[in-house]
Each structure stands twice: as structure tokens, then as C-alpha cells.
Amino acid sequence: MGPWPNDPLGPQARAASEIYWIMFVAAIIVLVIVDGGIIFAGFKFRERPGHTAKQFHGHNFLELVWTVVPTIMVISFSVLSYQKLTFMNDFSNPEMTLNVEGQQWSWLFNYPKEDRFKLLDGSYLIVGEELHIPVNSKVLLQLSSKDVIHSFWVPNIGGKKDAVPGRPTQLWIQADQPGTYKGQCFEFCGTGHADMLITLVVHQKDQYATWIKDAVTTANRQIDPATKKGRETFLSLPCTGCHTVKGTTAVGKVGPELTHVASKKSIAAGLLSPVDEANLTKWIKNPPAVKPGTLMPNLNLSDDQIHDIVQWLLTLKCQPNEAKCP
Ligand code: CUA
């Protein structure tokens, strides 16, 4: 972001930016000419010793100028705006189409019903908060809302469109360069409005397939019968009283957060490394035996329970590009 109020990094934002600058410069020129004229006339023709101020009425040339010039300006701006809007509202030939759902207070990105996004249970990839797209690709977003009016806006990439309950709207986006772009819900939608963020992650074209694979693999782990059992076991035990796993009912604050436990370098305050099946099993089986004095008790879980929980814990990894990861 430079010193300017906008920094377009995609064709949508660029179209808006171009018309912004044209109108801004024209407005400055008008301001200088009009205010300059008023100040000049005020000084030059003011009442003073040796000069009497006079009233004038009618001046064909001046009146023609200040009628014709603004008319031409307004018509030019209309034509220009129409051209830009036609471009910004051209939803034809997108490379990819996503359904974007706003709800109090997050965004859900439903990836297209294509084989590459298909999950084990036949459903298709849905990711919250983060939108991943390939660079230089026209991506069509079909917006909807579950509750109140929200508005999708990623300033650098441009385009701002409301997500209205019961009335589908659309917007296309495209990014010039790979990177992570911040966006924000732009319609006041309740107390959580300010937290309704959008992270747009733009991938190199050849790396996008890798991201899809990772995301599909992670999503599959969540619905895989083997790990689902572990997850349910974990959430039914006292584990949740001490540990937090984001996205679940486990919100305990006493023990370490486990949201990304499988991406950590070690557990048990560094005593067990790496975080793999063997070490997690050893730890959960009898924590005080590994680390005397630890607050984590031996819950006397069965080998099956431990196995299921460990299989689930091993899926708790950082997503690619995820912020706040160990
Ligand atoms: Cu959603 Cu503001």
C-alpha cells in the first residue's frame, strides 16, 4: 500500500481506481478554477478607496461556459462510468464459480462441484473464512446470506457486493499476483461485524492443485469414519475441560491448545518429540509417567480409545497459509 488511498492489484480494483483518479483530478481542477475565480474577483473588484463595487447582470459568454463545460463533464463521466460498470458486471466466461455464503459472523466458501473438490462422502469442499483462488483467473462469486445483509469486499482486488438473504447476487474477482489479501464484511450486520474478516489467498497456477489436494485431504480426515470416532471420543471425555480445539466444543483454557497439535515440534513441554503416533500414545496413556507433576491426569483410557483419539489428533495440522500456526 503506497501513499494513495487505493492500491489496485486486480482488474476490478483497477477499473474503479482509474475512474476514481479521473474524477478526483477533474474535481481538483474545477475546485481551483471556481474558488480561484471567487477569491480573485473578491479582491480585484472589492469596494475600496478609489474603487466602487458594482453589480453586473448577464454575461452571455461566461454563462455559456459554465453551462456547457459542466454538461460535457457530466456526460463524459456518465459514459466513462457506464463503460467501467459494464466491464465490472461482465460475469461471462469465469474460470471457476464459487458459492459464497455470509452468516453472522463468518463467510463460507463452497467450492465448485468438480471432481478435484470432491470429498469422500460425495460432498464438495467447503472452507470457512479463507478463500483460495489461482492467480490471473476470473473467479465468479455467487453471494447469498443465511441471515442479514452482509457485504463482500477485498479492497486491493476490488468489487464490493452485498450478500442479501433471499436475493442472489454475484461478483467476479481476479488477482494480478499471488499473495494474501485482507478483506472485510462491509455492511453492518450485528455485534460481530468487525470480526467478519475475509482472507483471500492467491496461489501460483501450478501450486493451486497442491492446495486443493491438501484441503481435500484435511476435509476428508474430518469425515473419515476412523478419525470421526476419535473426535467424538475426545469431545465426550474430560479432555475438553482443559484443552481448546478450534471449531469444536473443546474450549478449555487450563492445558495447551490442541488446534494444531500435529504441527507442533513437541508435546509435554518438549519432553516428547516429534509429535507422532508413538509419542502421542505414550503421553495420553500415562502423562505423569512421562512428566512427573504434570497437571494432565491418567484417565485410564482403553487402548482403543487412545488409538482413536491419537488418529484424530494427528489430523489437527496447520492449513497451508494459515495464520497463527506454530
Ligand atoms: Cu457481515 Cu458485517
Side-chain angles (χ1 to χ4, degrees), residues 7 14 16 20 26 40 50 58 101 114 152 182 186 204 206 217 225 260 270 275 283 308:
D7 185 16
R14 205 170 303 115
Y20 167 84
F40 171 78
E101 223 172 4
E114 294 168 14
F152 183 95
K182 292 287 174 200
F186 204 74
Q204 293 283 13
D206 53 348
T217 308
H260 302 116
V275 181
W283 176 245
D308 291 344

Side-chain angles (χ1 to χ4, degrees), residues 3-254:
W4 309 110
N6 54 24
D7 185 16
L9 296 169
Q12 276 274 6
R14 205 170 303 115
S17 175
E18 278 163 9
I19 199 159
Y20 167 84
W21 282 115
I22 290 169
M23 289 192 180
F24 181 73
V25 169
I28 292 290
I29 293 171
V30 169
L31 177 87
V32 169
I33 292 174
V34 172
D35 284 8
I38 291 172
I39 293 166
F40 171 78
F43 270 100
K44 176 140 171 115
F45 303 112
R46 73 188 191 280
E47 177 92 24
R48 59 186 186 275
H51 186 272
T52 315
K54 280 179 256 166
Q55 287 282 350
F56 292 92
H57 287 285
H59 191 297
N60 284 346
F61 176 72
L62 272 182
E63 282 174 21
L64 211 61
V65 167
W66 68 53
T67 309
V68 171
V69 172
T71 306
I72 292 173
M73 284 177 75
V74 169
I75 291 174
S76 315
F77 289 156
S78 303
V79 171
L80 203 62
S81 300
Y82 181 77
Q83 282 177 344
K84 298 287 182 198
L85 282 174
T86 308
F87 170 74
M88 293 164 92
N89 289 328
D90 174 13
F91 303 115
S92 60
N93 305 319
E95 283 182 42
M96 195 163 99
T97 303
L98 278 110
N99 287 316
V100 178
E101 223 172 4
Q103 59 179 12
Q104 286 167 322
W105 286 277
S106 61
W107 295 95
L108 273 186
F109 302 106
N110 298 260
Y111 285 83
K113 295 190 173 13
E114 294 168 14
D115 277 348
R116 56 186 178 148
F117 296 109
K118 196 166 188 171
L119 305 184
L120 283 175
D121 64 354
S123 67
Y124 294 87
L125 184 66
I126 301 176
V127 181
E129 326 278 339
E130 268 185 25
L131 172 57
H132 293 253
I133 63 169
V135 74
N136 286 322
S137 300
K138 185 171 177 177
V139 176
L140 180 64
L141 305 179
Q142 292 179 317
L143 302 165
S144 61
S145 169
K146 276 188 183 160
D147 35 48
V148 299
I149 300 177
H150 304 276
S151 185
F152 183 95
W153 188 44
V154 180
N156 295 128
I157 303 306
K160 186 195 288 168
K161 199 53 85 71
D162 282 3
V164 186
R167 185 179 181 278
T169 51
Q170 48 187 1
L171 164 72
W172 66 268
I173 57 170
Q174 186 174 325
D176 296 340
Q177 336 166 346
T180 302
Y181 304 86
K182 292 287 174 200
Q184 162 76 56
C185 177
F186 204 74
E187 182 74 49
F188 182 71
C189 53
T191 50
H193 162 70
D195 299 323
M196 200 168 158
L197 305 174
I198 301 158
T199 303
L200 174 67
V201 183
V202 178
H203 296 261
Q204 293 283 13
K205 280 215 163 122
D206 53 348
Q207 284 161 16
Y208 191 57
T210 313
W211 173 78
I212 297 174
K213 259 191 210 143
D214 285 354
V216 167
T217 308
T218 308
N220 276 337
R221 281 207 206 96
Q222 300 287 339
I223 53 174
D224 186 333
T227 55
K228 202 179 171 208
K229 209 167 143 207
R231 177 188 164 118
E232 279 163 6
T233 308
F234 179 93
L235 296 176
S236 70
L237 290 167
C239 314
T240 56
C242 296
H243 295 288
T244 290
V245 178
K246 290 222 173 84
T248 72
T249 49
V251 291
K253 298 280 182 223
V254 183

